[in-house]
Amino acid sequence: MSLAHGRPYLAIPGPSVMPDAVLQAMHQPAPNIYEGDIVTLVEGIVPDLKRVAKTEGEVAIYIANGHGAWEAALSNLFQPGDRVLIPATGRFAHGWADMAVGLGIVPQIIEFGTKSPIDAARIEEILAADTAHEIKAVMFSHVDTASSIRNDPRPLRAALDVARHPALLMADCIASMACDEFHMDAWGVDVAITGSQKGLMVPPGLSFVFFNDRAKELRAANPRVSRYWDWVPRTEAQAVYQYFGGTSPTHHLFGLRAALDMLHGEGMEQVWARHATLARVVWAACERWSEAGALTLNIAERGLRSHAVTALGLGVGNGQKLRRWTADNAGLTLGLGLGMATAEDPEGTGFFRIGHMGHLNAHMVLGAVGVIEAGLQALQIPHGKGALEKAAEVVAQPGAVAF
Ligand SMILES: *Cc1c(COP(=O)(O)O)cnc(C)c1O
C-alpha cells in the first residue's frame, strides 16, 4: 500500500512549493501587453523586488532561469579576455565559471571544497597581488545549493576594501534570496542575481539581476553587449514591450505580484527568521539521526549552513533509496545529491538534499522530517533515535532562535 496519494510535497532546493495565491493570480485571461494594467503591474513590481534584495540600485528582469541571469550579468559587464575570480564552495560556482568561459571571459577558480566556506583572507591575498587590477570581479555563491554552505558576503567586501581593489563583488543569490538574510547595499555587494522559483515562490522562468552604480559604470564603458541581455533598456525603457526585450512574461508577473505581496505582508525580517527557525527544525532532526548510523550533515557548523537547503550523506546507495521511498510511499520528493560524487560513490547515490525554501511552515517541515524518519525505519538504515522530538522542540520554542 502506498500512502502517497494526497497533496504532493516537493522538498527539493528549487523549484519550491508554489503558494495557491500565486497559482490563482496566474489563472486569468491574457492581458494587453502594450498598455493598461500591465504597465502599473511592472511599475509596482520593480520597487518591491528591490526591497527583497535590500537595494536602492536597479533590477533587470529576464525571461530566463537562473542560468540566464548568470549569463545576463556577465554579458553586461565583461568582454572576452577579461579576468574574474571565482571562489568555489560547490557545484554552482563552477556553473557560473563555465558560463563565463562560454563568453570568452577567463575565470580563475579558487577551490575551497564542499565542506567549508570561502576563506576571505585567501581572496584578499590574491587581490592584493593583482596590482595591475586585471581581475574585474569576485563572483561567488551566497548559498551553494549543492553543498548547502552559506558564504558571508561581508568578509569578501572587506577583502576588496583592504586590498584597495576595484573589482566588483557579484553574488549568486538564486538559492538564498528571500530565505537567508541579505542586504545588498549595506553589505557592499555590487551585483546580485536570483531566480523566481526558489525563495520567490513563483514558477521557474523569471530571473533578476540587481546592480548598483559601480556596475552601471562598467556596463557603460563596455563597447559591446548582446542586445537581448543588455540591462539598459530593461531598466530605462518607458514601454513595457521594450522593457522585456519583447513580449512580457505576463502570467509570471501576475504570480510574482502575489508572491511579493506575501513576502512584504510577512516582512523580510520575519521571512528570514521563519527560514532560520525552520532550518533549525530540520537540523535538530538530522543531528539526532546522525548520532548513530550513517547519516551526516555535509556542513558541520550550524552557522555556516544555508537556511534554504540542507545537504546530507547517508552512505552509498542509501540517499537514492530514501528519495525513492519517500516519493513512492509518502508523496514527499527530496532533492538528489549534486556534485558530491566521491571515489567510492562516483554516482553520488549516498547523498540527498532537503529543500526548505519559500512557502513553508512548521507543519510541512515537521511532516518532511517525519516522513524521512519513516523511510529510515522502513529501509532499516541505522539512525539515531528521538529526532522528531527534537524537531518538535524547536517548533515549540521558536523564540529561542536567532537568524
Ligand atoms: C538553482 C540555482 C542555480 C541555477 O538556476 P536555474 O534556474 O536552474 O538555472 C544557480 N545558482 C544557484 C546557487 C542555484 O541555487
Side-chain angles (χ1 to χ4, degrees), residues 13-15 64-70 92-93 95-96 140-146 172-176 193-198 204-207 309 353 357:
N65 59 18
H67 283 68
W70 272 346
F92 286 89
W96 206 0
F140 72 104
S141 298
H142 181 210
V143 159
D144 192 292
T145 326
D172 175 348
C173 298
I174 297 177
S176 60
I193 65 169
T194 197
S196 55
Q197 78 274 26
K198 300 193 184 181
L206 288 185
S207 57
V309 53
R353 290 175 298 161
M357 51 175 59

PDB file of all heavy atoms in Angstrom, residues 13-15 64-70 92-93 95-96 140-146 172-176 193-198 204-207 309 353 357, ligand 1:
ATOM      1  N   PRO A  13      15.607  21.678  -3.504  1.00  0.00           N
ATOM      2  CA  PRO A  13      16.045  23.091  -3.428  1.00  0.00           C
ATOM      3  C   PRO A  13      15.788  23.853  -4.730  1.00  0.00           C
ATOM      4  O   PRO A  13      16.698  24.343  -5.372  1.00  0.00           O
ATOM      5  CB  PRO A  13      17.532  22.966  -3.112  1.00  0.00           C
ATOM      6  CG  PRO A  13      17.941  21.641  -3.631  1.00  0.00           C
ATOM      7  CD  PRO A  13      16.736  20.746  -3.603  1.00  0.00           C
ATOM      8  N   GLY A  14      14.569  23.894  -5.099  1.00  0.00           N
ATOM      9  CA  GLY A  14      14.111  24.646  -6.242  1.00  0.00           C
ATOM     10  C   GLY A  14      13.889  23.753  -7.458  1.00  0.00           C
ATOM     11  O   GLY A  14      14.758  22.954  -7.769  1.00  0.00           O
ATOM     12  N   PRO A  15      12.704  23.905  -8.129  1.00  0.00           N
ATOM     13  CA  PRO A  15      11.646  24.832  -7.738  1.00  0.00           C
ATOM     14  C   PRO A  15      11.060  24.461  -6.371  1.00  0.00           C
ATOM     15  O   PRO A  15      11.106  23.316  -5.961  1.00  0.00           O
ATOM     16  CB  PRO A  15      10.588  24.676  -8.851  1.00  0.00           C
ATOM     17  CG  PRO A  15      10.983  23.504  -9.658  1.00  0.00           C
ATOM     18  CD  PRO A  15      12.394  23.168  -9.350  1.00  0.00           C
ATOM     19  N   ALA A  64      13.933  34.032 -18.144  1.00  0.00           N
ATOM     20  CA  ALA A  64      15.011  33.037 -18.156  1.00  0.00           C
ATOM     21  C   ALA A  64      15.077  32.365 -16.794  1.00  0.00           C
ATOM     22  O   ALA A  64      14.552  32.894 -15.809  1.00  0.00           O
ATOM     23  CB  ALA A  64      16.351  33.711 -18.445  1.00  0.00           C
ATOM     24  N   ASN A  65      15.739  31.251 -16.737  1.00  0.00           N
ATOM     25  CA  ASN A  65      16.022  30.635 -15.440  1.00  0.00           C
ATOM     26  C   ASN A  65      17.303  31.257 -14.860  1.00  0.00           C
ATOM     27  O   ASN A  65      17.824  32.243 -15.387  1.00  0.00           O
ATOM     28  CB  ASN A  65      16.109  29.113 -15.563  1.00  0.00           C
ATOM     29  CG  ASN A  65      17.184  28.668 -16.544  1.00  0.00           C
ATOM     30  OD1 ASN A  65      18.077  29.443 -16.885  1.00  0.00           O
ATOM     31  ND2 ASN A  65      17.094  27.441 -17.000  1.00  0.00           N
ATOM     32  N   GLY A  66      17.807  30.659 -13.805  1.00  0.00           N
ATOM     33  CA  GLY A  66      18.994  31.219 -13.160  1.00  0.00           C
ATOM     34  C   GLY A  66      20.204  31.258 -14.066  1.00  0.00           C
ATOM     35  O   GLY A  66      21.005  32.202 -14.007  1.00  0.00           O
ATOM     36  N   HIS A  67      20.326  30.263 -14.930  1.00  0.00           N
ATOM     37  CA  HIS A  67      21.447  30.267 -15.874  1.00  0.00           C
ATOM     38  C   HIS A  67      21.411  31.522 -16.745  1.00  0.00           C
ATOM     39  O   HIS A  67      22.450  32.065 -17.115  1.00  0.00           O
ATOM     40  CB  HIS A  67      21.413  29.016 -16.763  1.00  0.00           C
ATOM     41  CG  HIS A  67      21.895  27.769 -16.079  1.00  0.00           C
ATOM     42  ND1 HIS A  67      21.208  27.177 -15.051  1.00  0.00           N
ATOM     43  CD2 HIS A  67      23.002  27.008 -16.283  1.00  0.00           C
ATOM     44  CE1 HIS A  67      21.876  26.094 -14.652  1.00  0.00           C
ATOM     45  NE2 HIS A  67      22.967  25.975 -15.384  1.00  0.00           N
ATOM     46  N   GLY A  68      20.202  31.949 -17.091  1.00  0.00           N
ATOM     47  CA  GLY A  68      20.063  33.172 -17.881  1.00  0.00           C
ATOM     48  C   GLY A  68      20.573  34.388 -17.123  1.00  0.00           C
ATOM     49  O   GLY A  68      21.244  35.257 -17.689  1.00  0.00           O
ATOM     50  N   ALA A  69      20.281  34.448 -15.835  1.00  0.00           N
ATOM     51  CA  ALA A  69      20.765  35.579 -15.025  1.00  0.00           C
ATOM     52  C   ALA A  69      22.288  35.548 -14.917  1.00  0.00           C
ATOM     53  O   ALA A  69      22.946  36.595 -14.930  1.00  0.00           O
ATOM     54  CB  ALA A  69      20.134  35.552 -13.635  1.00  0.00           C
ATOM     55  N   TRP A  70      22.849  34.335 -14.800  1.00  0.00           N
ATOM     56  CA  TRP A  70      24.309  34.205 -14.813  1.00  0.00           C
ATOM     57  C   TRP A  70      24.876  34.869 -16.075  1.00  0.00           C
ATOM     58  O   TRP A  70      25.787  35.677 -16.019  1.00  0.00           O
ATOM     59  CB  TRP A  70      24.699  32.716 -14.863  1.00  0.00           C
ATOM     60  CG  TRP A  70      24.842  32.009 -13.557  1.00  0.00           C
ATOM     61  CD1 TRP A  70      24.926  32.564 -12.308  1.00  0.00           C
ATOM     62  CD2 TRP A  70      24.948  30.581 -13.379  1.00  0.00           C
ATOM     63  NE1 TRP A  70      25.077  31.560 -11.379  1.00  0.00           N
ATOM     64  CE2 TRP A  70      25.095  30.355 -12.004  1.00  0.00           C
ATOM     65  CE3 TRP A  70      24.933  29.491 -14.246  1.00  0.00           C
ATOM     66  CZ2 TRP A  70      25.232  29.075 -11.459  1.00  0.00           C
ATOM     67  CZ3 TRP A  70      25.068  28.217 -13.720  1.00  0.00           C
ATOM     68  CH2 TRP A  70      25.208  28.006 -12.336  1.00  0.00           C
ATOM     69  N   PHE A  92      27.840  25.098  -7.920  1.00  0.00           N
ATOM     70  CA  PHE A  92      27.271  26.242  -8.625  1.00  0.00           C
ATOM     71  C   PHE A  92      28.301  27.297  -9.014  1.00  0.00           C
ATOM     72  O   PHE A  92      28.143  27.982 -10.021  1.00  0.00           O
ATOM     73  CB  PHE A  92      26.087  26.815  -7.842  1.00  0.00           C
ATOM     74  CG  PHE A  92      24.889  25.913  -7.978  1.00  0.00           C
ATOM     75  CD1 PHE A  92      24.687  24.866  -7.096  1.00  0.00           C
ATOM     76  CD2 PHE A  92      24.020  26.054  -9.034  1.00  0.00           C
ATOM     77  CE1 PHE A  92      23.627  23.988  -7.253  1.00  0.00           C
ATOM     78  CE2 PHE A  92      22.954  25.186  -9.214  1.00  0.00           C
ATOM     79  CZ  PHE A  92      22.756  24.155  -8.317  1.00  0.00           C
ATOM     80  N   ALA A  93      29.368  27.399  -8.240  1.00  0.00           N
ATOM     81  CA  ALA A  93      30.445  28.306  -8.634  1.00  0.00           C
ATOM     82  C   ALA A  93      31.027  27.849  -9.974  1.00  0.00           C
ATOM     83  O   ALA A  93      31.335  28.668 -10.848  1.00  0.00           O
ATOM     84  CB  ALA A  93      31.528  28.313  -7.570  1.00  0.00           C
ATOM     85  N   GLY A  95      29.448  26.236 -12.243  1.00  0.00           N
ATOM     86  CA  GLY A  95      28.453  26.531 -13.278  1.00  0.00           C
ATOM     87  C   GLY A  95      28.581  27.957 -13.796  1.00  0.00           C
ATOM     88  O   GLY A  95      28.537  28.204 -15.009  1.00  0.00           O
ATOM     89  N   TRP A  96      28.742  28.888 -12.871  1.00  0.00           N
ATOM     90  CA  TRP A  96      28.874  30.297 -13.280  1.00  0.00           C
ATOM     91  C   TRP A  96      30.188  30.489 -14.041  1.00  0.00           C
ATOM     92  O   TRP A  96      30.246  31.200 -15.041  1.00  0.00           O
ATOM     93  CB  TRP A  96      28.796  31.212 -12.057  1.00  0.00           C
ATOM     94  CG  TRP A  96      28.299  32.600 -12.347  1.00  0.00           C
ATOM     95  CD1 TRP A  96      27.922  33.114 -13.571  1.00  0.00           C
ATOM     96  CD2 TRP A  96      28.089  33.654 -11.395  1.00  0.00           C
ATOM     97  NE1 TRP A  96      27.497  34.415 -13.431  1.00  0.00           N
ATOM     98  CE2 TRP A  96      27.587  34.776 -12.110  1.00  0.00           C
ATOM     99  CE3 TRP A  96      28.277  33.764 -10.019  1.00  0.00           C
ATOM    100  CZ2 TRP A  96      27.277  35.983 -11.470  1.00  0.00           C
ATOM    101  CZ3 TRP A  96      27.964  34.963  -9.391  1.00  0.00           C
ATOM    102  CH2 TRP A  96      27.471  36.074 -10.104  1.00  0.00           C
ATOM    103  N   PHE A 140      30.732  34.888  -6.468  1.00  0.00           N
ATOM    104  CA  PHE A 140      30.594  33.770  -5.526  1.00  0.00           C
ATOM    105  C   PHE A 140      29.127  33.419  -5.322  1.00  0.00           C
ATOM    106  O   PHE A 140      28.237  34.215  -5.608  1.00  0.00           O
ATOM    107  CB  PHE A 140      31.236  34.139  -4.175  1.00  0.00           C
ATOM    108  CG  PHE A 140      30.439  35.163  -3.399  1.00  0.00           C
ATOM    109  CD1 PHE A 140      29.668  34.794  -2.311  1.00  0.00           C
ATOM    110  CD2 PHE A 140      30.445  36.500  -3.781  1.00  0.00           C
ATOM    111  CE1 PHE A 140      28.905  35.734  -1.601  1.00  0.00           C
ATOM    112  CE2 PHE A 140      29.689  37.452  -3.085  1.00  0.00           C
ATOM    113  CZ  PHE A 140      28.936  37.061  -2.002  1.00  0.00           C
ATOM    114  N   SER A 141      28.885  32.229  -4.816  1.00  0.00           N
ATOM    115  CA  SER A 141      27.523  31.826  -4.445  1.00  0.00           C
ATOM    116  C   SER A 141      27.296  32.190  -2.982  1.00  0.00           C
ATOM    117  O   SER A 141      28.070  31.767  -2.119  1.00  0.00           O
ATOM    118  CB  SER A 141      27.332  30.313  -4.587  1.00  0.00           C
ATOM    119  OG  SER A 141      27.513  29.916  -5.919  1.00  0.00           O
ATOM    120  N   HIS A 142      26.245  32.957  -2.724  1.00  0.00           N
ATOM    121  CA  HIS A 142      25.896  33.271  -1.328  1.00  0.00           C
ATOM    122  C   HIS A 142      25.595  31.946  -0.613  1.00  0.00           C
ATOM    123  O   HIS A 142      26.193  31.642   0.409  1.00  0.00           O
ATOM    124  CB  HIS A 142      24.690  34.218  -1.314  1.00  0.00           C
ATOM    125  CG  HIS A 142      24.252  34.642   0.049  1.00  0.00           C
ATOM    126  ND1 HIS A 142      22.946  34.946   0.329  1.00  0.00           N
ATOM    127  CD2 HIS A 142      24.936  34.806   1.211  1.00  0.00           C
ATOM    128  CE1 HIS A 142      22.852  35.287   1.626  1.00  0.00           C
ATOM    129  NE2 HIS A 142      24.032  35.211   2.178  1.00  0.00           N
ATOM    130  N   VAL A 143      24.669  31.190  -1.210  1.00  0.00           N
ATOM    131  CA  VAL A 143      24.467  29.805  -0.783  1.00  0.00           C
ATOM    132  C   VAL A 143      24.801  28.913  -1.963  1.00  0.00           C
ATOM    133  O   VAL A 143      24.283  29.131  -3.054  1.00  0.00           O
ATOM    134  CB  VAL A 143      23.014  29.566  -0.327  1.00  0.00           C
ATOM    135  CG1 VAL A 143      22.643  28.080  -0.369  1.00  0.00           C
ATOM    136  CG2 VAL A 143      22.795  30.112   1.074  1.00  0.00           C
ATOM    137  N   ASP A 144      25.668  27.942  -1.764  1.00  0.00           N
ATOM    138  CA  ASP A 144      25.850  26.941  -2.812  1.00  0.00           C
ATOM    139  C   ASP A 144      24.856  25.816  -2.549  1.00  0.00           C
ATOM    140  O   ASP A 144      24.922  25.127  -1.532  1.00  0.00           O
ATOM    141  CB  ASP A 144      27.276  26.384  -2.864  1.00  0.00           C
ATOM    142  CG  ASP A 144      27.465  25.594  -4.156  1.00  0.00           C
ATOM    143  OD1 ASP A 144      26.831  24.525  -4.286  1.00  0.00           O
ATOM    144  OD2 ASP A 144      28.192  26.066  -5.037  1.00  0.00           O
ATOM    145  N   THR A 145      23.948  25.651  -3.468  1.00  0.00           N
ATOM    146  CA  THR A 145      22.808  24.759  -3.294  1.00  0.00           C
ATOM    147  C   THR A 145      23.218  23.294  -3.276  1.00  0.00           C
ATOM    148  O   THR A 145      22.472  22.440  -2.791  1.00  0.00           O
ATOM    149  CB  THR A 145      21.808  25.016  -4.440  1.00  0.00           C
ATOM    150  OG1 THR A 145      21.868  26.409  -4.742  1.00  0.00           O
ATOM    151  CG2 THR A 145      20.407  24.673  -4.049  1.00  0.00           C
ATOM    152  N   ALA A 146      24.387  22.994  -3.834  1.00  0.00           N
ATOM    153  CA  ALA A 146      24.844  21.599  -3.851  1.00  0.00           C
ATOM    154  C   ALA A 146      25.422  21.196  -2.495  1.00  0.00           C
ATOM    155  O   ALA A 146      25.087  20.147  -1.945  1.00  0.00           O
ATOM    156  CB  ALA A 146      25.883  21.406  -4.946  1.00  0.00           C
ATOM    157  N   ASP A 172      25.760  35.235  -6.388  1.00  0.00           N
ATOM    158  CA  ASP A 172      24.686  34.369  -6.862  1.00  0.00           C
ATOM    159  C   ASP A 172      23.789  34.089  -5.661  1.00  0.00           C
ATOM    160  O   ASP A 172      24.161  33.341  -4.758  1.00  0.00           O
ATOM    161  CB  ASP A 172      25.284  33.078  -7.428  1.00  0.00           C
ATOM    162  CG  ASP A 172      24.214  32.058  -7.830  1.00  0.00           C
ATOM    163  OD1 ASP A 172      23.041  32.248  -7.463  1.00  0.00           O
ATOM    164  OD2 ASP A 172      24.573  31.059  -8.488  1.00  0.00           O
ATOM    165  N   CYS A 173      22.618  34.732  -5.667  1.00  0.00           N
ATOM    166  CA  CYS A 173      21.666  34.577  -4.560  1.00  0.00           C
ATOM    167  C   CYS A 173      20.456  33.768  -5.005  1.00  0.00           C
ATOM    168  O   CYS A 173      19.360  33.927  -4.464  1.00  0.00           O
ATOM    169  CB  CYS A 173      21.227  35.945  -4.048  1.00  0.00           C
ATOM    170  SG  CYS A 173      22.560  36.945  -3.390  1.00  0.00           S
ATOM    171  N   ILE A 174      20.650  32.906  -5.993  1.00  0.00           N
ATOM    172  CA  ILE A 174      19.494  32.190  -6.549  1.00  0.00           C
ATOM    173  C   ILE A 174      18.847  31.299  -5.488  1.00  0.00           C
ATOM    174  O   ILE A 174      17.626  31.227  -5.377  1.00  0.00           O
ATOM    175  CB  ILE A 174      19.898  31.382  -7.810  1.00  0.00           C
ATOM    176  CG1 ILE A 174      20.384  32.349  -8.900  1.00  0.00           C
ATOM    177  CG2 ILE A 174      18.719  30.543  -8.319  1.00  0.00           C
ATOM    178  CD1 ILE A 174      20.890  31.673 -10.171  1.00  0.00           C
ATOM    179  N   ALA A 175      19.671  30.642  -4.679  1.00  0.00           N
ATOM    180  CA  ALA A 175      19.099  29.763  -3.646  1.00  0.00           C
ATOM    181  C   ALA A 175      18.752  30.517  -2.373  1.00  0.00           C
ATOM    182  O   ALA A 175      17.933  30.063  -1.581  1.00  0.00           O
ATOM    183  CB  ALA A 175      20.083  28.651  -3.311  1.00  0.00           C
ATOM    184  N   SER A 176      19.399  31.649  -2.172  1.00  0.00           N
ATOM    185  CA  SER A 176      19.303  32.281  -0.849  1.00  0.00           C
ATOM    186  C   SER A 176      18.306  33.420  -0.759  1.00  0.00           C
ATOM    187  O   SER A 176      17.814  33.723   0.330  1.00  0.00           O
ATOM    188  CB  SER A 176      20.683  32.797  -0.433  1.00  0.00           C
ATOM    189  OG  SER A 176      21.162  33.742  -1.371  1.00  0.00           O
ATOM    190  N   ILE A 193      22.216  38.267  -8.207  1.00  0.00           N
ATOM    191  CA  ILE A 193      21.250  37.671  -9.132  1.00  0.00           C
ATOM    192  C   ILE A 193      20.380  36.663  -8.395  1.00  0.00           C
ATOM    193  O   ILE A 193      20.793  36.067  -7.407  1.00  0.00           O
ATOM    194  CB  ILE A 193      21.953  36.976 -10.320  1.00  0.00           C
ATOM    195  CG1 ILE A 193      22.779  35.784  -9.850  1.00  0.00           C
ATOM    196  CG2 ILE A 193      22.830  37.953 -11.085  1.00  0.00           C
ATOM    197  CD1 ILE A 193      23.253  34.921 -10.985  1.00  0.00           C
ATOM    198  N   THR A 194      19.152  36.509  -8.895  1.00  0.00           N
ATOM    199  CA  THR A 194      18.301  35.461  -8.345  1.00  0.00           C
ATOM    200  C   THR A 194      17.304  34.982  -9.393  1.00  0.00           C
ATOM    201  O   THR A 194      17.229  35.540 -10.484  1.00  0.00           O
ATOM    202  CB  THR A 194      17.618  35.892  -7.031  1.00  0.00           C
ATOM    203  OG1 THR A 194      17.132  34.730  -6.351  1.00  0.00           O
ATOM    204  CG2 THR A 194      16.463  36.845  -7.277  1.00  0.00           C
ATOM    205  N   GLY A 195      16.576  33.943  -9.047  1.00  0.00           N
ATOM    206  CA  GLY A 195      15.564  33.383  -9.944  1.00  0.00           C
ATOM    207  C   GLY A 195      14.213  33.386  -9.256  1.00  0.00           C
ATOM    208  O   GLY A 195      14.107  33.617  -8.054  1.00  0.00           O
ATOM    209  N   SER A 196      13.169  33.106 -10.037  1.00  0.00           N
ATOM    210  CA  SER A 196      11.813  33.218  -9.497  1.00  0.00           C
ATOM    211  C   SER A 196      11.382  31.996  -8.682  1.00  0.00           C
ATOM    212  O   SER A 196      10.462  32.082  -7.873  1.00  0.00           O
ATOM    213  CB  SER A 196      10.820  33.418 -10.653  1.00  0.00           C
ATOM    214  OG  SER A 196      10.942  32.384 -11.623  1.00  0.00           O
ATOM    215  N   GLN A 197      12.040  30.845  -8.878  1.00  0.00           N
ATOM    216  CA  GLN A 197      11.432  29.582  -8.442  1.00  0.00           C
ATOM    217  C   GLN A 197      11.939  29.046  -7.113  1.00  0.00           C
ATOM    218  O   GLN A 197      11.671  27.911  -6.767  1.00  0.00           O
ATOM    219  CB  GLN A 197      11.641  28.521  -9.522  1.00  0.00           C
ATOM    220  CG  GLN A 197      13.031  27.884  -9.578  1.00  0.00           C
ATOM    221  CD  GLN A 197      14.034  28.651 -10.405  1.00  0.00           C
ATOM    222  OE1 GLN A 197      13.906  29.850 -10.566  1.00  0.00           O
ATOM    223  NE2 GLN A 197      15.062  27.988 -10.913  1.00  0.00           N
ATOM    224  N   LYS A 198      12.654  29.868  -6.371  1.00  0.00           N
ATOM    225  CA  LYS A 198      13.143  29.359  -5.079  1.00  0.00           C
ATOM    226  C   LYS A 198      12.492  30.175  -3.962  1.00  0.00           C
ATOM    227  O   LYS A 198      11.300  30.045  -3.746  1.00  0.00           O
ATOM    228  CB  LYS A 198      14.660  29.339  -5.090  1.00  0.00           C
ATOM    229  CG  LYS A 198      15.154  28.416  -6.241  1.00  0.00           C
ATOM    230  CD  LYS A 198      16.603  28.044  -6.211  1.00  0.00           C
ATOM    231  CE  LYS A 198      16.946  27.220  -7.462  1.00  0.00           C
ATOM    232  NZ  LYS A 198      18.338  26.784  -7.509  1.00  0.00           N
ATOM    233  N   PRO A 204       9.413  28.483 -12.247  1.00  0.00           N
ATOM    234  CA  PRO A 204      10.656  28.814 -12.938  1.00  0.00           C
ATOM    235  C   PRO A 204      10.364  29.571 -14.228  1.00  0.00           C
ATOM    236  O   PRO A 204       9.352  29.313 -14.881  1.00  0.00           O
ATOM    237  CB  PRO A 204      11.280  27.452 -13.254  1.00  0.00           C
ATOM    238  CG  PRO A 204      10.299  26.410 -12.851  1.00  0.00           C
ATOM    239  CD  PRO A 204       9.200  27.045 -12.086  1.00  0.00           C
ATOM    240  N   GLY A 205      11.255  30.495 -14.594  1.00  0.00           N
ATOM    241  CA  GLY A 205      11.039  31.208 -15.858  1.00  0.00           C
ATOM    242  C   GLY A 205      11.364  32.679 -15.804  1.00  0.00           C
ATOM    243  O   GLY A 205      11.485  33.328 -16.840  1.00  0.00           O
ATOM    244  N   LEU A 206      11.512  33.229 -14.593  1.00  0.00           N
ATOM    245  CA  LEU A 206      11.963  34.621 -14.480  1.00  0.00           C
ATOM    246  C   LEU A 206      13.259  34.634 -13.701  1.00  0.00           C
ATOM    247  O   LEU A 206      13.453  33.834 -12.788  1.00  0.00           O
ATOM    248  CB  LEU A 206      10.963  35.477 -13.688  1.00  0.00           C
ATOM    249  CG  LEU A 206       9.638  35.851 -14.319  1.00  0.00           C
ATOM    250  CD1 LEU A 206       8.894  36.791 -13.376  1.00  0.00           C
ATOM    251  CD2 LEU A 206       9.819  36.496 -15.683  1.00  0.00           C
ATOM    252  N   SER A 207      14.147  35.546 -14.073  1.00  0.00           N
ATOM    253  CA  SER A 207      15.311  35.763 -13.223  1.00  0.00           C
ATOM    254  C   SER A 207      15.642  37.243 -13.187  1.00  0.00           C
ATOM    255  O   SER A 207      15.124  38.025 -13.996  1.00  0.00           O
ATOM    256  CB  SER A 207      16.495  34.913 -13.665  1.00  0.00           C
ATOM    257  OG  SER A 207      16.821  35.158 -15.001  1.00  0.00           O
ATOM    258  N   VAL A 309      18.420  25.112   2.279  1.00  0.00           N
ATOM    259  CA  VAL A 309      18.651  23.738   1.809  1.00  0.00           C
ATOM    260  C   VAL A 309      19.669  23.089   2.742  1.00  0.00           C
ATOM    261  O   VAL A 309      20.577  23.755   3.244  1.00  0.00           O
ATOM    262  CB  VAL A 309      19.159  23.741   0.342  1.00  0.00           C
ATOM    263  CG1 VAL A 309      20.370  24.629   0.154  1.00  0.00           C
ATOM    264  CG2 VAL A 309      19.475  22.328  -0.153  1.00  0.00           C
ATOM    265  N   ARG A 353      19.291  15.898  -0.556  1.00  0.00           N
ATOM    266  CA  ARG A 353      19.134  17.257  -0.014  1.00  0.00           C
ATOM    267  C   ARG A 353      17.679  17.489   0.359  1.00  0.00           C
ATOM    268  O   ARG A 353      16.774  17.004  -0.313  1.00  0.00           O
ATOM    269  CB  ARG A 353      19.578  18.301  -1.041  1.00  0.00           C
ATOM    270  CG  ARG A 353      21.093  18.297  -1.276  1.00  0.00           C
ATOM    271  CD  ARG A 353      21.489  19.259  -2.379  1.00  0.00           C
ATOM    272  NE  ARG A 353      20.872  18.870  -3.634  1.00  0.00           N
ATOM    273  CZ  ARG A 353      20.718  19.683  -4.683  1.00  0.00           C
ATOM    274  NH1 ARG A 353      21.120  20.942  -4.606  1.00  0.00           N
ATOM    275  NH2 ARG A 353      20.156  19.247  -5.790  1.00  0.00           N
ATOM    276  N   MET A 357      12.889  25.949   1.460  1.00  0.00           N
ATOM    277  CA  MET A 357      12.872  27.329   0.987  1.00  0.00           C
ATOM    278  C   MET A 357      11.470  27.730   0.545  1.00  0.00           C
ATOM    279  O   MET A 357      10.729  26.934  -0.005  1.00  0.00           O
ATOM    280  CB  MET A 357      13.839  27.482  -0.195  1.00  0.00           C
ATOM    281  CG  MET A 357      13.638  26.453  -1.301  1.00  0.00           C
ATOM    282  SD  MET A 357      14.664  26.698  -2.784  1.00  0.00           S
ATOM    283  CE  MET A 357      16.325  26.621  -2.192  1.00  0.00           C
TER     284      MET A 357
HETATM  285  C1  LIG B   1      19.189  26.912  -8.705  1.00  0.00           C
HETATM  286  C2  LIG B   1      20.485  27.597  -8.751  1.00  0.00           C
HETATM  287  C3  LIG B   1      21.084  27.989  -9.958  1.00  0.00           C
HETATM  288  C4  LIG B   1      20.509  27.625 -11.297  1.00  0.00           C
HETATM  289  O1  LIG B   1      19.251  28.138 -11.506  1.00  0.00           O
HETATM  290  P1  LIG B   1      18.386  27.579 -12.735  1.00  0.00           P
HETATM  291  O2  LIG B   1      17.107  28.325 -12.607  1.00  0.00           O
HETATM  292  O3  LIG B   1      18.253  26.114 -12.547  1.00  0.00           O
HETATM  293  O4  LIG B   1      19.117  27.918 -13.984  1.00  0.00           O
HETATM  294  C5  LIG B   1      22.256  28.690  -9.908  1.00  0.00           C
HETATM  295  N1  LIG B   1      22.849  29.001  -8.742  1.00  0.00           N
HETATM  296  C6  LIG B   1      22.331  28.622  -7.561  1.00  0.00           C
HETATM  297  C7  LIG B   1      23.041  28.992  -6.290  1.00  0.00           C
HETATM  298  C8  LIG B   1      21.132  27.915  -7.529  1.00  0.00           C
HETATM  299  O5  LIG B   1      20.617  27.529  -6.361  1.00  0.00           O
END
